[in-house]
Each structure stands twice: as C-alpha cells, then as structure tokens.
Amino acid sequence: VCVLYRHSRTRKYESELHMCRLEVLAVQFSEYHPLKAITVTDSKSRRGGRKGSTSSSSSSSSSVAPDPLSSMLDGTDPLSLFAVVIYVTVIVTLSLGRKRKEKEEEVGSDFELWSSKRGEILSRFTTTEKLSINLFMGSDKSKASSPSSAVSEKVRTRLEELDDLEEGSQRELLNLSQKDYVNRIEELNQSLKEAWGSDQKVKALKIVIQCSKLLSDTSVIQFYPSKFVLITDILDTFGGLVYDRIWSMCADPHPLPESFSADDVNDTAKETCLNWFFKIASIRELVPRLYVEAALLKCNRFLTKSGIQETLQRLTAMIRGIGDPLVAVYARAYLCRVGMKVAPHLKDSLNKNFFDLLASFRQVHGESVQNQLVLQRVEIPIYLTLYSPAIHWILQCVAYRAPEVLLTEMMDRCKKLGNNALLLNSVMWAFRAEFVATRATDFISMIKDCDEAGFPKHLLFASLGHSLSVADPPESERLSILNEAWKVITKVRSPRDYINCAEIWVEFTCRHFTKREVNTVLADIIKHITPDRAFEDAYPQLQSVIKKILTYFHDFSVLFLMEKFLPFLDMFQKDSVRVEVCKSIMEVFINALTLDDEKRALSLLINGFIRMVSFGRDFEQQLSFCVEARATFCNLEPIIIHLIHTVNQLAMETRRVMKGNHSRKTAAFVRACATYGFITIPSLTSIFSRLNLYLLSGQVALANQCLSQADAFLKAAVSLLPEVPRTISIEGKQRSSEPFLLDFINNFLSTLLVVPDHPEQGVLYLVRGLLNMVQDYTWEDNSDAKIRVYISALPLLAAMSQESYLYTIPKVDSNETLYGGDPKFIAEINKLCETLISQVLDHLKELGQDEGVRRQGSLAFSLSGCLLAHGDLRNNKLNQLVVNLWNLWNLSHKRGFCDTRTSVRTLEYIKHQAQQADMSHLSDVTARLSLQSRA
C-alpha cells in the first residue's frame, strides 16, 4: 500500500489551525454555570482476549536499514570508555620477550607487594645534598661480534672483558642533585636494556655490577633507602633478562612445562646458566657479587632441584660479612624480596635473615656508626627511621601466613635485645592484627621498658593502635589498654606528633566505649590543638577524627549531646574545610539505609533548599554548585533528578540571557551542562527517569543548537529501550510498564520531527533505530503495543514529507531544509510507511475470533483514523483500504465491543470534513462508510 509521496495529502497548518478554533456563540446565562458537570467520553477499549501470534519480520527486513545505533557499542560513550579502562587495567603484565604463560606466584592477594611500597619510599627518603655516581663509558671490546667471528674468538673476547670488569672505562659524576641522580640511574637502566638487545651481554653485566657497587656507599645516608629502590629496579630487570634468555634456549625442540625440573633442561641452557654464575663469581667485591647473584636466584632452577634453597642459605651467611648494618639490612631485604618471589615456601631462610638481623643489630650503636652519623650530622632518631622500610619488609615476609607461635618467639627475642623500639615497632606492623590485639597488654609492657632516646614511645603506641583499630583485644583488658595508651599520648608536647597518634586511638575509643569516653578524648584533643592555633595545621587529622566518630555514632541526638562535639567543630575555621566536615555529617544521616519515606521527605527539603540557591548570572558557579550537590547527595535519587532538571533550566536560562547570541564561552557552558546530564543520568536506578531525562536533555541541547550532544542523548535513549522491564514497581505494587513505554515513545516520535539526520548516518537513522528497537523488544503476550507504535509513527512520517514542517527550532535546520523535498528522501519515507502498514495489516489478519475481534476492531479504527487524517484519499487503493478498515471496526461494533457514540461522532466528523472545498473527495468515502447496529 503506497501511502505517502503522491498519496499523502498536502497540509496547510495555518489554515487548519484557524478552522479548528472554537466558534464564538452567545451563551444564555440560564444554561451556563461554571460548576456545571462536564462529561468526558473515554474512547479507549479494554484489552484482553486469547494469545495472538506476533507478526513476521520478513516483510520489513528488506526495506528497513540496519540498526544505526550499533555505533553506540564502539566504546565512545562514557560508560563504555570506563569499561575499556577497567579491562586494560586488569590485563596481566607479561615478562620481557616471554612467550609462555608463567606459573602464578604462590603468594596470595593478601600479601602487599614491593611495588606498592616503592613510591612511598622514594617520596619519603629525600635529600638536598650533592650525590655522585660512576657511569660505565663502554669500550670497543664490548661490541657484538660479527656473524663471521668464530665461537672461540667470541668467548676469548668476553673473557678479556671480564678481566677488565672492574677497571674498565668509567666516569665519576660529582655534585649531582637528587633529580639528576635519579635521571642517571634511569639512563643506566636504559643502557642495560640496549646493551642486552644488541647482544652485548658483558656490557650489560658491567652496568649491573657498577650499579650494585653504589649500594656500598652510605655517604649521603638519608638518601640510602631511595637509592636501594632505584638500584634494585635495575637488578630486577637484569635478572628477568637472564632468566628469559636461558628459558628461550630450553624451547628447542619443545618448550619447558610450567613446573619443570632441572632434568628437563638441555645441556646448552645449563652451560649458559653456569657461565653466568661463573661470571658473577669473578666479581671481587662482596656487595655487588651478592646482589647480582641474588638477582639471578631464580636461574638456579635450571641447574639443580635444591639450587634455590642452597643459594639462599649461602647468601644469607654471606651477608654477615657486610660491616655496615644499614647496608646489611637492605641486602637482607633484597634477598627476602627475591626469595619471596621465587620460593615463598622456603620460610627457613626468611626466618634466618631476621634472626641474623637481631643478632647484629647492636652494631647500630657501635663506634663506627656513631662516628659516621657525627660526620654527616644525622641524629640517631633520623638514622633509625632509615631501617624501617627494610625491617618492615623482612618482617612482612617472615610473618606472611606464619603461625601465631612465631610472634611469641619474636617477642621473646626482642625482650632479650632490651625491647629495641625499632624492631618492636616493625613486629607490630608485620604480624596479623588479630595476633597483636590478643597480646596488646604484653606489647604495652614491652613498650614501657623501651629506651625512648632513639624511637619515641608514642610512635609505638600509634603502631599498636593501628592493629587495635581492626582487631579487638580481650574485653576485660580494653579499659586498661586505653588508659595506658592515653597516659603516653597526652604527654606528647608536639601538636603534630600528638594529633597523629590521638587520631589513631579515637577509633579504638569509639569502637569499644560510650559517648562519655569519646567526649573525654575530644576534650583532650581540644586542649592540645587549640594553643597557638595548632589546629590550622591539623585539619586532615581532625577531619579523620570526625569521620571515625560518625562511623560509630549514628544517633543524631547522642552525637550533639556530647559536650565537646560542637567545640571540636569550632576548630574548623577554614571555610572550605568546614563545609566538607558539615557535608560528612549530613551524609551520615542521609545514607543508603534511610527508609524510603524518610528519603522522600529529606529530598523534598533539600530540593527546596537547592531551588533557593542562586548565583545570579554567574552560571558557571551555579553549575559548580550542582556538581558538588550531586557528589554530596548521590544516594538520593529525587535530588539527582532535580539537579538534572536544574542544569537543563540553567542551559535554557543562559540561552535566554544571551538572547540567541552564542559566543564560544556560552556554547562551551551549554556543552558542560549537557555533559553533566550525560554523566549523571546513567547513575539513576529508575529506567523511566533515565529515558525521560535523556529525552529532555536532548531537547534542551537541540534548543541550544548543540546538535552532537542532542544526538548523543537521543541515541542513548533508544539504546536503553531494550532494558525496560515488562513490569515496574509503583507504590509497592507491580504494574505493567507498557503504558509508560508507549507514552515515552510517542513523546520521542514528536521530537524526531525537528531532529536533523546525522551527515554520516543513513536517512531517518533515528526513526529506523527506534523502530528496530521496538520490533526486537519483548512485549507482553496478547499485546498490541508494538503495532500501536507503528501506527503512531505514520503521522510523524507524514509530517516529515511536508514542504514546511509543523514546528521547528530556531537556528536548527530540520530535514525540511536539509533535503528540501528531495524525491529520494520522500521515497525513503514512502518505503518505510509501506513497511509499517504491511506490518499492521499482517497483525490484523493474524488476530483470531472472539476476544481477538475486539483488538482487531480497535487497531483497525486507529489505522483508519490515521489514514483519514494524513493520507490523500483521492488514491483509489488508499480509499478502499480505509473502507475495509472501517468494516473491521463495524464488525467489532456489531458484536458490542466498541462504543457507539465514538462511531457516530467519527462518522459525523468525516462528513463535516467532506464539506470543505479541498476535501470534497471525502464525500465518496463517506457514502461507502456505514454504521451497523449491534446484534
């Protein structure tokens, strides 16, 4: 059936509007009263009947273009970009050049890797003093041999290079800043990779040896932990390169299995592996020889079954020969690091390293160390902190999944050393919080016996407090623990040290005690932090105190009945910080656990407040306020919806104030408003709220000539349609979603009239995309909703075929301007209309008898009314179709399924239209339309 192009009647909207205006008649006052009842006739018929089959899609598959919204899946929307970022982040990092799947490490996700500590060490241990470094300059000897060189000559050349291993060409760089030093280390790391890539293996080894030598130097002692981090990065790289090289030699003829043994390794690979260890053995100095061999620890797997275990024992014993205790403790840390990575099950070597550390720790107070500290003007407390990263790491490795009895052994050994504060602190950090909490009273006793000269006791109580914030000590000991801890904390004179420690113990107090004890703690904090306005430098810690209190006290009245709570809040005198604190308090009492009724009440109050906030014509400030409000009330959906409406109004207000004069700044602001909505709408749980806000935001973007943003909103709405559930909850009851979905689609169709086609998409791509989604949607059984959407689309297509559209948007060119009545465009509309009407007619034929007649008659009446309003009935085929549809309606009317008044009024209206000058052809149609009486 051809409906449009030649057969869509030309519309004159202005004259039609004039004709539709109400006729002015004189009113008799006796017949009129403003309170007189008004009768409204409902023309909708009830749905029902038995199940009918859905129409076939074959009739439309040839004429309907492919779904243009498939482009939504190319990852360009914000949520897809986020998914891509998450996907890339979780990809497993592969070793350099390795083409096999590595066996997973035996340590679990509960083990904190070295990489997580690296950044903190580099930022913490810095220096302003000048540093020096020896750079390897290279020589001609280290160049790769030509392919024609004999193997024996190549070996001889490398042996000569080894003879010159430590006396080669070097250059010492002096007076380097810390930044320059780090850059030079990075250059050495890059040189190592380049040398290896160009088959200059000996040169690579020389670089590693020279870097390892730097770990013997403690001339700028406060920088040593950071130096250790930088140098061991190079060692790790070197170890991986050597291991990969030997592994690749084992791939002929077949790759090694993941759990290979030394028996699976061929002779060539074993010989190469031994050659590397022989080279390392020729290093004269202890420290570089130890570090380089430790870096190659994993390569022992290629030689013997017990090679790793034996090497760990030997290297552990070798470290005893290092005289400087700081150098020795970091050497042990690196050995534990590679041991934990390669063979974490070998606990004996880890324990031995720590016990050797305890045995040699008296060297810290030896004469040589003291002289060095005097020379470098470093005080003993600062010096002791340099040990912390290494000792923490060693103890973390030792304590990982260790039995509780090991902690008892560690505590006994610390007591024998006189309760060394640094070691005791590391023990409390390393072992499980549950183990520490169980022995909290014992730890307090040990802390009391510590010498406070090198490591203040309040730091030890801070470490103990960390464990007690996540694990509970015995209930009978909790009050005494709090009293003992606070006796030490309250005597700390430095406000900074005091608040750092007090902030930790606030959580323990809130966790186990009442508002009375918490109030006492707040009073003590106020007492220490108020003098000299010390609170101005402690806002982060004070905010943390507030958050911890709010975590455990949810009763608003209890919180504000604390005598010291409001005075505590008064210390937040910086406006921005004070606002953040007030936000955090509000968030506690407006959280995800709030009942629905409370949420609605709170949302109404907050929305009322938001409406009162105005920044005049400072629209950017108004938008910033909406951004902050969204972050603050993210779990209150009514507020989020209200904020999106507010931002859309803000965009329209900007357009009104500018009076159509869109400067770049104004356009950018409107785009920012659109971005706000596009990012915020997906966070809503109500799918119809999302749909309606996508449509509203698209309309606002169109009104502001932001076509790309409008296109994105409308495409997002279409792509969301398949997610609409068949039922939704309304006031606690499950209702069908179809009426709401139909209302939305009709509203959406009316908007599409003014939306121009995208230049890179097909003709009517949004209309086709919407209809494709409607066709694929899973509608209810015995539902005619899909067919009603098809009928609703016909008036839109008829309006699109007009030379002048019914309505347009200023400064936005609709399709009437873009196509200008192009015959190809009209032909596309014509084809789409034919497909839709065919689908409707197929559905009418498939409807059965009885209850199906009711649905058949209702749909026939709707389609006939659409064709009467928008089709040119001078076309005989179209004329006959209208008559046939009216007869179907008559059949339903005859069986009592239709409203007689509706039928009579419809027929009267058609006769009235036939009296118009340009509608006289309707007289022929009217003569063929009859109204049968009910049976």
Side-chain angles (χ1 to χ4, degrees), residues 395-458:
L395 270 171
Q396 178 185 324
C397 297
V398 171
Y400 180 65
R401 295 182 180 175
E404 192 171 359
V405 67
L406 182 60
L407 175 57
T408 303
E409 183 179 355
M410 293 290 182
M411 294 173 68
D412 292 339
R413 289 180 178 254
C414 286
K415 289 178 182 178
K416 292 177 181 179
L417 283 174
N419 292 331
N420 182 277
L422 178 62
L423 294 176
L424 188 61
N425 186 65
S426 297
V427 168
M428 288 188 290
W429 271 101
F431 280 86
R432 289 176 55 184
E434 294 82 0
F435 296 169
V436 176
T438 303
R439 296 165 175 78
T441 302
D442 295 334
F443 274 109
I444 289 176
S445 178
M446 295 174 68
I447 292 172
K448 287 181 179 180
D449 295 337
C450 284
D451 181 10
E452 201 171 9
F455 204 94
K457 289 183 180 180
H458 72 267

Coordinates of all heavy atoms in Angstrom, one line a residue, residues 395-458:
L395 N 60.1 -8.4 57.9 CA 59.1 -9.0 58.9 C 57.8 -9.3 58.2 O 57.1 -10.2 58.6 CB 58.9 -8.0 60.0 CG 59.8 -8.1 61.2 CD1 59.7 -7.0 62.2 CD2 59.5 -9.5 61.9
Q396 N 57.5 -8.5 57.2 CA 56.3 -8.9 56.4 C 56.4 -10.2 55.7 O 55.5 -11.0 55.7 CB 56.0 -7.8 55.3 CG 54.8 -8.1 54.5 CD 54.5 -7.1 53.4 OE1 54.8 -5.9 53.5 NE2 54.1 -7.6 52.2
C397 N 57.6 -10.5 55.2 CA 57.8 -11.8 54.5 C 57.8 -12.9 55.6 O 57.3 -14.0 55.4 CB 59.2 -11.8 53.8 SG 59.3 -10.6 52.4
V398 N 58.5 -12.6 56.7 CA 58.5 -13.6 57.8 C 57.1 -13.9 58.3 O 56.7 -15.1 58.6 CB 59.5 -13.2 58.9 CG1 59.4 -14.1 60.1 CG2 60.9 -13.1 58.4
A399 N 56.3 -12.9 58.5 CA 55.0 -13.0 59.2 C 53.9 -13.5 58.3 O 52.8 -13.8 58.7 CB 54.6 -11.7 59.8
Y400 N 54.2 -13.5 56.9 CA 53.1 -13.9 56.0 C 52.6 -15.3 56.2 O 53.4 -16.3 56.1 CB 53.6 -13.7 54.6 CG 52.6 -14.0 53.5 CD1 51.4 -13.3 53.4 CD2 52.7 -15.1 52.7 CE1 50.5 -13.6 52.4 CE2 51.8 -15.4 51.7 CZ 50.7 -14.6 51.6 OH 49.7 -14.9 50.7
R401 N 51.4 -15.4 56.6 CA 50.7 -16.7 56.9 C 51.5 -17.5 57.9 O 51.5 -18.8 57.8 CB 50.5 -17.5 55.6 CG 49.5 -16.8 54.7 CD 49.3 -17.6 53.4 NE 48.3 -16.9 52.5 CZ 48.0 -17.3 51.3 NH1 48.5 -18.4 50.8 NH2 47.1 -16.6 50.6
A402 N 52.2 -16.8 58.8 CA 53.0 -17.5 59.8 C 52.1 -17.9 60.9 O 51.1 -17.2 61.2 CB 54.2 -16.7 60.3
P403 N 52.4 -19.0 61.7 CA 51.6 -19.4 62.8 C 51.8 -18.4 64.0 O 52.8 -17.6 64.0 CB 52.2 -20.7 63.2 CG 53.6 -20.7 62.7 CD 53.5 -19.9 61.5
E404 N 50.8 -18.3 64.9 CA 50.8 -17.4 65.9 C 52.0 -17.5 66.9 O 52.5 -16.6 67.5 CB 49.5 -17.5 66.7 CG 49.2 -16.3 67.7 CD 47.8 -16.4 68.2 OE1 47.0 -17.3 67.9 OE2 47.5 -15.5 69.1
V405 N 52.5 -18.8 67.0 CA 53.6 -19.0 67.9 C 54.8 -18.3 67.5 O 55.7 -18.0 68.3 CB 53.8 -20.6 67.9 CG1 54.3 -21.1 66.6 CG2 54.8 -20.9 69.1
L406 N 55.0 -18.0 66.2 CA 56.2 -17.3 65.7 C 56.2 -15.9 66.3 O 57.3 -15.3 66.6 CB 56.2 -17.2 64.2 CG 57.4 -16.5 63.6 CD1 58.7 -17.2 64.0 CD2 57.3 -16.4 62.1
L407 N 55.0 -15.2 66.5 CA 55.0 -13.9 67.1 C 55.5 -14.0 68.5 O 56.2 -13.1 69.0 CB 53.6 -13.3 67.1 CG 53.4 -12.0 67.8 CD1 54.3 -10.9 67.2 CD2 51.9 -11.5 67.7
T408 N 55.1 -15.0 69.2 CA 55.6 -15.2 70.6 C 57.1 -15.3 70.6 O 57.8 -14.7 71.5 CB 55.0 -16.5 71.2 OG1 53.6 -16.3 71.2 CG2 55.5 -16.6 72.7
E409 N 57.7 -16.1 69.7 CA 59.2 -16.2 69.6 C 59.8 -14.9 69.3 O 60.9 -14.5 69.9 CB 59.5 -17.2 68.5 CG 61.0 -17.5 68.4 CD 61.3 -18.5 67.4 OE1 60.4 -19.1 66.8 OE2 62.5 -18.7 67.1
M410 N 59.2 -14.1 68.4 CA 59.7 -12.8 68.0 C 59.7 -11.8 69.2 O 60.7 -11.1 69.5 CB 58.9 -12.1 66.9 CG 59.0 -12.9 65.6 SD 60.6 -12.7 64.8 CE 60.4 -13.5 63.3
M411 N 58.7 -11.9 70.0 CA 58.6 -11.0 71.2 C 59.6 -11.4 72.2 O 60.3 -10.5 72.8 CB 57.2 -11.1 71.8 CG 56.1 -10.5 70.9 SD 54.4 -10.8 71.5 CE 54.4 -9.8 73.0
D412 N 59.9 -12.7 72.4 CA 60.9 -13.1 73.3 C 62.3 -12.7 72.9 O 63.1 -12.2 73.7 CB 60.9 -14.7 73.4 CG 59.6 -15.2 74.1 OD1 59.0 -14.4 74.8 OD2 59.2 -16.3 73.9
R413 N 62.6 -12.7 71.6 CA 63.9 -12.3 71.1 C 64.0 -10.8 71.3 O 65.1 -10.3 71.5 CB 64.1 -12.7 69.6 CG 64.3 -14.2 69.5 CD 64.5 -14.6 68.0 NE 64.7 -16.0 67.9 CZ 65.9 -16.6 67.6 NH1 66.9 -15.8 67.5 NH2 66.0 -17.9 67.4
C414 N 62.9 -10.0 71.0 CA 63.0 -8.6 71.2 C 63.3 -8.2 72.7 O 64.0 -7.3 73.0 CB 61.7 -7.9 70.8 SG 61.5 -7.9 69.0
K415 N 62.7 -9.0 73.6 CA 62.9 -8.8 75.0 C 64.4 -9.0 75.4 O 65.0 -8.2 76.2 CB 62.1 -9.7 75.9 CG 60.6 -9.3 75.8 CD 59.8 -10.3 76.7 CE 58.3 -10.0 76.6 NZ 57.5 -11.0 77.3
K416 N 65.0 -10.0 74.8 CA 66.4 -10.3 75.1 C 67.3 -9.2 74.5 O 68.4 -9.0 75.0 CB 66.8 -11.6 74.4 CG 66.1 -12.8 75.1 CD 66.5 -14.1 74.3 CE 65.8 -15.3 75.0 NZ 66.2 -16.6 74.3
L417 N 66.8 -8.5 73.5 CA 67.6 -7.3 73.0 C 67.3 -6.1 73.7 O 67.7 -5.0 73.3 CB 67.3 -7.2 71.5 CG 68.0 -8.1 70.5 CD1 67.4 -7.9 69.1 CD2 69.5 -8.0 70.6
G418 N 66.6 -6.2 74.8 CA 66.2 -5.0 75.6 C 65.1 -4.2 75.0 O 65.0 -3.0 75.2
N419 N 64.2 -4.9 74.3 CA 63.0 -4.3 73.7 C 63.4 -3.1 72.8 O 62.9 -2.0 73.1 CB 62.0 -3.8 74.8 CG 61.4 -5.0 75.6 OD1 61.2 -6.1 75.0 ND2 61.1 -4.8 76.8
N420 N 64.2 -3.4 71.8 CA 64.6 -2.4 70.9 C 63.3 -1.8 70.2 O 62.5 -2.5 69.6 CB 65.5 -2.9 69.8 CG 66.0 -1.9 68.9 OD1 65.3 -1.6 67.9 ND2 67.1 -1.3 69.1
A421 N 63.1 -0.5 70.3 CA 61.9 0.1 69.9 C 61.6 0.0 68.4 O 60.5 -0.3 67.9 CB 61.9 1.6 70.2
L422 N 62.7 0.1 67.6 CA 62.5 0.0 66.1 C 62.1 -1.4 65.7 O 61.1 -1.6 64.9 CB 63.9 0.3 65.4 CG 63.9 0.2 63.9 CD1 62.9 1.2 63.3 CD2 65.3 0.4 63.4
L423 N 62.7 -2.4 66.3 CA 62.3 -3.8 66.0 C 60.9 -4.1 66.5 O 60.1 -4.7 65.8 CB 63.3 -4.8 66.6 CG 64.7 -4.7 66.0 CD1 65.6 -5.7 66.8 CD2 64.7 -5.1 64.5
L424 N 60.6 -3.6 67.7 CA 59.3 -3.9 68.3 C 58.2 -3.2 67.4 O 57.1 -3.8 67.2 CB 59.2 -3.3 69.7 CG 58.0 -3.6 70.5 CD1 57.8 -5.1 70.7 CD2 58.0 -2.9 71.9
N425 N 58.5 -2.0 66.9 CA 57.5 -1.3 66.0 C 57.3 -2.1 64.7 O 56.1 -2.3 64.3 CB 58.1 0.1 65.7 CG 57.1 0.9 64.9 OD1 56.0 1.2 65.4 ND2 57.5 1.2 63.7
S426 N 58.3 -2.7 64.2 CA 58.2 -3.4 62.9 C 57.4 -4.7 63.2 O 56.6 -5.2 62.3 CB 59.6 -3.8 62.3 OG 60.2 -2.6 62.0
V427 N 57.6 -5.4 64.3 CA 56.9 -6.6 64.7 C 55.4 -6.3 64.7 O 54.6 -7.1 64.2 CB 57.4 -7.2 66.0 CG1 56.5 -8.3 66.5 CG2 58.8 -7.7 65.8
M428 N 55.0 -5.2 65.3 CA 53.6 -4.9 65.4 C 53.0 -4.6 64.1 O 51.8 -4.8 63.8 CB 53.4 -3.7 66.4 CG 53.6 -4.0 67.9 SD 53.1 -2.7 69.0 CE 54.4 -1.5 68.7
W429 N 53.8 -4.0 63.2 CA 53.2 -3.7 61.8 C 53.1 -5.0 61.0 O 52.2 -5.1 60.2 CB 54.2 -2.7 61.1 CG 53.8 -1.3 61.4 CD1 54.4 -0.4 62.2 CD2 52.8 -0.6 60.7 NE1 53.8 0.8 62.2 CE2 52.8 0.7 61.3 CE3 51.8 -0.9 59.8 CZ2 51.9 1.7 60.9 CZ3 50.9 0.1 59.4 CH2 50.9 1.4 60.0
A430 N 54.0 -5.9 61.2 CA 54.2 -7.1 60.3 C 53.1 -8.2 60.5 O 52.6 -8.7 59.6 CB 55.6 -7.6 60.3
F431 N 52.9 -8.5 61.8 CA 52.1 -9.6 62.1 C 50.6 -9.3 62.0 O 50.2 -8.1 62.1 CB 52.4 -10.2 63.5 CG 53.6 -11.1 63.5 CD1 54.9 -10.5 63.6 CD2 53.5 -12.5 63.3 CE1 56.0 -11.3 63.6 CE2 54.6 -13.3 63.3 CZ 55.9 -12.7 63.4
R432 N 49.8 -10.3 61.9 CA 48.3 -10.1 61.8 C 47.8 -9.3 63.0 O 48.2 -9.5 64.1 CB 47.6 -11.4 61.7 CG 47.8 -12.2 60.4 CD 47.2 -13.5 60.4 NE 45.8 -13.4 60.7 CZ 45.0 -14.5 60.8 NH1 45.5 -15.7 60.7 NH2 43.7 -14.3 61.1
A433 N 46.9 -8.4 62.7 CA 46.3 -7.6 63.7 C 45.7 -8.4 64.9 O 45.7 -8.0 66.0 CB 45.3 -6.6 63.1
E434 N 45.1 -9.5 64.5 CA 44.4 -10.4 65.5 C 45.4 -10.9 66.5 O 45.2 -10.9 67.7 CB 43.7 -11.5 64.8 CG 42.5 -11.1 64.0 CD 42.9 -10.7 62.6 OE1 44.1 -10.7 62.3 OE2 42.0 -10.3 61.8
F435 N 46.6 -11.3 66.0 CA 47.7 -11.8 66.9 C 48.2 -10.7 67.8 O 48.4 -10.9 69.0 CB 48.9 -12.3 66.1 CG 48.5 -13.5 65.2 CD1 49.4 -14.0 64.3 CD2 47.3 -14.2 65.4 CE1 49.2 -15.1 63.5 CE2 47.0 -15.3 64.6 CZ 47.9 -15.7 63.6
V436 N 48.3 -9.5 67.3 CA 48.8 -8.4 68.1 C 47.8 -8.0 69.1 O 48.1 -7.7 70.3 CB 49.2 -7.2 67.2 CG1 49.6 -6.0 68.0 CG2 50.3 -7.6 66.2
A437 N 46.5 -7.9 68.7 CA 45.5 -7.5 69.6 C 45.3 -8.4 70.8 O 45.1 -8.0 72.0 CB 44.1 -7.4 68.9
T438 N 45.5 -9.7 70.6 CA 45.4 -10.7 71.6 C 46.5 -10.5 72.7 O 46.3 -10.7 73.9 CB 45.6 -12.1 71.1 OG1 44.5 -12.3 70.1 CG2 45.4 -13.2 72.2
R439 N 47.7 -9.9 72.3 CA 48.8 -9.7 73.2 C 49.0 -8.2 73.4 O 50.1 -7.8 73.7 CB 50.1 -10.3 72.5 CG 50.0 -11.8 72.4 CD 51.1 -12.3 71.4 NE 51.2 -13.7 71.3 CZ 50.3 -14.5 70.6 NH1 49.4 -13.9 69.9 NH2 50.4 -15.8 70.6
A440 N 48.0 -7.4 73.3 CA 48.1 -6.0 73.5 C 48.7 -5.6 74.8 O 49.6 -4.7 74.9 CB 46.7 -5.3 73.3
T441 N 48.3 -6.2 75.9 CA 48.8 -5.9 77.2 C 50.3 -6.2 77.3 O 51.0 -5.4 77.9 CB 48.0 -6.7 78.3 OG1 46.6 -6.4 78.2 CG2 48.5 -6.3 79.7
D442 N 50.7 -7.3 76.7 CA 52.1 -7.7 76.7 C 52.9 -6.7 75.9 O 54.0 -6.3 76.3 CB 52.3 -9.1 76.1 CG 51.7 -10.2 77.0 OD1 51.6 -9.9 78.2 OD2 51.4 -11.2 76.4
F443 N 52.4 -6.2 74.8 CA 53.1 -5.2 74.0 C 53.2 -3.9 74.8 O 54.3 -3.2 74.7 CB 52.4 -5.0 72.7 CG 52.8 -5.9 71.6 CD1 51.9 -6.9 71.1 CD2 54.1 -5.8 71.0 CE1 52.3 -7.8 70.1 CE2 54.4 -6.7 70.0 CZ 53.6 -7.7 69.6
I444 N 52.2 -3.5 75.5 CA 52.3 -2.3 76.3 C 53.4 -2.4 77.3 O 54.1 -1.4 77.6 CB 50.9 -2.0 76.9 CG1 49.9 -1.6 75.8 CG2 51.0 -0.9 78.0 CD1 48.5 -1.3 76.4
S445 N 53.5 -3.6 77.9 CA 54.5 -3.8 78.9 C 55.9 -3.6 78.3 O 56.8 -3.0 78.9 CB 54.3 -5.1 79.6 OG 55.4 -5.4 80.5
M446 N 56.1 -4.2 77.1 CA 57.3 -4.1 76.4 C 57.6 -2.6 76.0 O 58.8 -2.2 76.0 CB 57.3 -5.0 75.2 CG 57.2 -6.5 75.5 SD 57.1 -7.5 74.1 CE 58.7 -7.3 73.3
I447 N 56.6 -1.9 75.6 CA 56.8 -0.5 75.2 C 57.3 0.3 76.4 O 58.1 1.2 76.2 CB 55.5 0.1 74.6 CG1 55.1 -0.6 73.3 CG2 55.6 1.6 74.4 CD1 53.8 -0.2 72.7
K448 N 56.7 0.0 77.5 CA 57.1 0.8 78.7 C 58.6 0.6 79.0 O 59.3 1.5 79.5 CB 56.3 0.3 80.0 CG 54.9 0.8 80.0 CD 54.2 0.3 81.2 CE 52.8 0.7 81.3 NZ 52.1 0.2 82.5
D449 N 59.2 -0.6 78.7 CA 60.6 -0.9 79.0 C 61.5 -0.4 77.9 O 62.7 -0.6 78.1 CB 60.7 -2.4 79.2 CG 60.0 -2.9 80.4 OD1 59.7 -2.1 81.3 OD2 59.6 -4.1 80.5
C450 N 61.0 0.1 76.8 CA 61.8 0.6 75.7 C 62.6 1.9 76.1 O 62.1 2.7 76.9 CB 61.0 0.8 74.5 SG 60.5 -0.7 73.6
D451 N 63.7 2.0 75.5 CA 64.5 3.2 75.6 C 63.9 4.3 74.7 O 63.9 4.0 73.5 CB 66.0 3.0 75.3 CG 66.8 4.2 75.5 OD1 66.3 5.2 76.0 OD2 68.0 4.2 75.1
E452 N 63.5 5.4 75.1 CA 62.8 6.4 74.3 C 63.8 7.3 73.6 O 63.3 8.2 72.8 CB 61.9 7.2 75.2 CG 60.8 7.9 74.4 CD 59.7 8.5 75.3 OE1 59.9 8.6 76.5 OE2 58.7 9.0 74.8
A453 N 65.1 7.1 73.7 CA 66.0 8.0 73.1 C 66.0 8.0 71.6 O 66.0 9.1 71.0 CB 67.4 7.7 73.7
G454 N 65.9 6.8 71.0 CA 66.0 6.7 69.6 C 64.7 6.6 68.9 O 64.6 6.9 67.7
F455 N 63.7 6.2 69.6 CA 62.4 5.9 68.9 C 61.3 6.2 69.9 O 61.1 5.5 70.9 CB 62.3 4.5 68.5 CG 61.3 4.2 67.4 CD1 61.8 4.2 66.1 CD2 60.0 4.0 67.6 CE1 60.9 4.0 65.0 CE2 59.1 3.8 66.6 CZ 59.5 3.8 65.3
P456 N 60.6 7.4 69.8 CA 59.6 7.8 70.8 C 58.5 6.7 71.1 O 58.1 6.1 70.2 CB 59.0 9.1 70.2 CG 60.0 9.6 69.3 CD 60.7 8.3 68.7
K457 N 58.1 6.6 72.3 CA 57.1 5.6 72.7 C 55.7 5.9 72.0 O 54.9 5.0 71.8 CB 56.9 5.6 74.2 CG 58.1 5.0 74.9 CD 57.9 4.9 76.4 CE 59.1 4.3 77.1 NZ 58.9 4.2 78.6
H458 N 55.4 7.2 71.8 CA 54.1 7.5 71.2 C 54.0 6.9 69.8 O 52.9 6.5 69.3 CB 53.8 9.0 71.1 CG 54.6 9.7 70.1 ND1 55.8 10.3 70.5 CD2 54.4 10.0 68.8 CE1 56.3 11.0 69.4 NE2 55.5 10.8 68.4

